[in-house]
Amino acid sequence: MVAAYDAADGLFLEAVPERGEGMLRFAERLCGTTGRASEVSAANGGARRLLKGVRYRVPFELLTGEYQLLVARALFAGDEAEADGWRHRVRAPEGAGPPSLWRVSEWFTGRGDNYRNLRAANGLDAEDLQLGQVLWIPGDMLRPAFRAVLPPPTAALLEYGEDARGEYAVYRLQKGEALYSSVVVRFTGRVFAEDVNSVADTVAERSGIRDVTDIPIGYRVKVPLDLLQPEFLPPAHPRRREYEEGLMASARFSNQVTADRLQGVTVVLDAGHGGADVGASMGGVWESLYVYDIMLRCRRILEASTAARVISTTQDGSGPSILERDRLPYSKSHRVLTTPNYRIEDSTVGVHLRWYLVNSIFRQTVAAGADSARLVFVSIHADSLHPSLRGAMAYVPGARYRGGTYGKSGAVYAARREVREGPRVSFSRTELVRSEGLSRDLAASVLDRFAAAGLAIHPDKPIREKVIRQRRAWVPAVLRYNAIPAQILLEVCNLANADDRALIQTRDFRQRVAEAIAQGILDYYGDSGAPAGPRVAASSP
């Protein structure tokens, strides 16, 4: 492949077709869809048949985000991705003048009319550029693929070193910061209390800290590299490069489907745990009761104010019934709505039967002619984390943590129609990467609505591609084996935090959460209209 810059035509990629590749597959590989084939053909003089060994041109705006990033990095080697944006050095083909600010805006933000914002961000009086001039492109304006590879803001605060015990990163503690939340949670991704405390002990010992409650401002806290999340590793570290490449690959996929009032969309809502599996239990609050109530409220909103088909995976009692009260009565009668139903007595069986049920819904919906992009899955939970943390976070299915073929056996599974329809599941690499990209898109839409509603969001990396617990990383089974491409597991709050625990015991909070989820799904499909379902007065979190 060759990245090229032409003064008249701008940026483009020239590529040789792979063995047996026609125009449709060529376009799908480089543009992410066969729908671009006619435009690629037009860019090559109307060519329809691809000849072996001949390079064909693909204009920059037709390329996937991954290839756009590769072209930009090849042509603008002096550019730098920084914590809060992209620093671009203006250049042009030999003998040509500098590009317009409009064109640069098109390349990096996807929209030429963003040039006004670029002009303001750089303090320019006019749109004329000079060769060698450095332009600052704020991170929130960048194309998703470019934004995905920006280093975290805190990465700039880390130094790196090595001693007899191995490599480490150094963070200088700031005023008002604690070892647990400001170092362990932020840099290692640990959120469960036992993990946070264990890693904090390791970091304290490595750093020579005797009292974690009395660390001087500016103290050099050492964190072993093997404990760091990949985005905080040195830029050339193999694990960080693998992580960034995964982000780039998934950033190629974002939802391209719009649906007015969710017409033709199927929303599968799952309330975590239930029955004998109460989930997190803190201060007499059972996770299963309160997330089930949120699920019911979200279903009511969607059914009352959108055209979506809404399906629940579980049911408590004889039918869905919302209790308009703050504290909810105890119940262990939840069941998974397989055929026949499964009264949840074993938590593991309950989880696995959910994804079997979801996959059956997926197969039937697609077989009826629906686009797979018109299905979404949201599993609603409430976490039990380190008590210093609060707010919502979303887990998406990280592609590198899925794979292989999986299925369950035994009488309890064989008795269910959904299991017999598809006893084993496996996905291609492309399906896994696409699912991660679409799921990140969905998670961002939902959490944006949480923020807009004044609902607390986890302060560090609220969208996560894996769970880390006891030094092991994995994707929850309800996502890992799930065939619906756009899927998230949403933790609406932290029951171990007293403020969050008090909030979830109010119907006002649960209604606001349900509205944020419903509105996030609407946003994901390009419909910004507010749901018109039942509402309650908002209050501060």
Side-chain angles (χ1 to χ4, degrees), residues 83-266:
D84 50 356
W86 190 278
R87 202 169 295 280
H88 170 64
R89 187 174 297 277
V90 177
R91 59 157 294 186
E94 187 174 352
S100 65
L101 189 60
W102 178 286
R103 176 164 276 189
V104 173
S105 179
E106 275 187 325
W107 294 339
F108 290 96
T109 78
R111 292 179 52 181
D113 58 7
N114 274 333
Y115 81 94
R116 296 183 182 87
N117 297 327
L118 276 188
R119 185 176 63 189
N122 288 273
L124 303 177
D125 296 325
E127 287 78 53
D128 295 332
L129 301 177
Q130 303 296 321
L131 293 178
Q133 180 179 355
V134 175
L135 284 178
W136 174 249
I137 306 162
D140 59 0
M141 292 176 60
L142 286 168
R143 291 178 183 268
F146 289 74
R147 189 165 59 244
V149 298
L150 299 183
T154 44
L157 303 177
L158 294 176
E159 305 165 13
Y160 301 96
E162 185 175 6
D163 57 22
R165 298 176 63 179
E167 296 178 299
Y168 58 83
V170 172
Y171 177 70
R172 296 180 182 273
L173 210 63
Q174 308 296 304
K175 183 177 180 180
E177 293 186 333
L179 181 67
Y180 295 98
S181 57
S182 302
V183 178
V184 174
V185 172
R186 185 194 306 182
F187 296 120
T188 75
R190 273 61 174 181
V191 290
F192 295 98
E194 63 272 24
D195 293 337
V196 172
N197 294 335
S198 173
V199 172
D201 289 343
T202 299
V203 171
E205 188 276 330
R206 184 71 182 272
S207 306
I209 298 171
R210 296 183 178 180
D211 183 355
V212 297
T213 65
D214 186 26
I215 307 175
I217 296 172
Y219 191 92
R220 298 177 77 253
V221 179
K222 293 182 179 180
V223 184
L225 287 198
D226 64 343
L227 292 177
L228 285 179
Q229 286 289 79
E231 59 265 38
F232 296 112
L233 292 165
H237 195 284
R239 193 154 57 90
R240 175 165 171 175
R241 294 184 67 175
E242 180 185 26
Y243 170 75
E244 291 178 346
E245 288 167 2
L247 279 180
M248 286 169 53
S250 65
R252 294 169 49 194
F253 300 98
S254 60
N255 183 40
Q256 303 298 312
V257 174
T258 57
D260 182 35
R261 294 181 59 251
L262 304 184
Q263 186 70 45
V265 170
T266 296

Side-chain angles (χ1 to χ4, degrees), residues 383-406:
D383 236 330
S384 177
L385 309 176
H386 193 274
S388 66
L389 304 174
R390 64 171 308 203
M393 71 165 69
Y395 289 101
V396 300
R400 64 170 297 200
Y401 300 97
R402 304 172 73 188
T405 300
Y406 188 82

Side-chain angles (χ1 to χ4, degrees), residues 261 300-302 304-306 511 515 518-519 522 529-535:
R261 294 181 59 251
R300 179 173 68 179
I301 293 167
L302 290 169
S305 59
T306 78
Q511 179 71 17
E515 291 172 356
Q519 186 62 68
L522 279 162
R535 300 176 65 88

Side-chain angles (χ1 to χ4, degrees), residues 70 73 97 116 132 148 158 164 218 227 238 243 250 275 294 303 321 343 350-351 380 395 431 441 476 506 534 541:
L70 291 173
R73 280 184 157 166
R116 296 183 182 87
L158 294 176
L227 292 177
Y243 170 75
S250 65
I294 292 171
E303 290 181 334
S321 177
R343 186 181 176 93
V351 167
I380 303 170
Y395 289 101
E431 287 174 323
D441 206 4
T506 66

Side-chain angles (χ1 to χ4, degrees), residues 42 63 329 341:
L63 293 166
N341 291 178

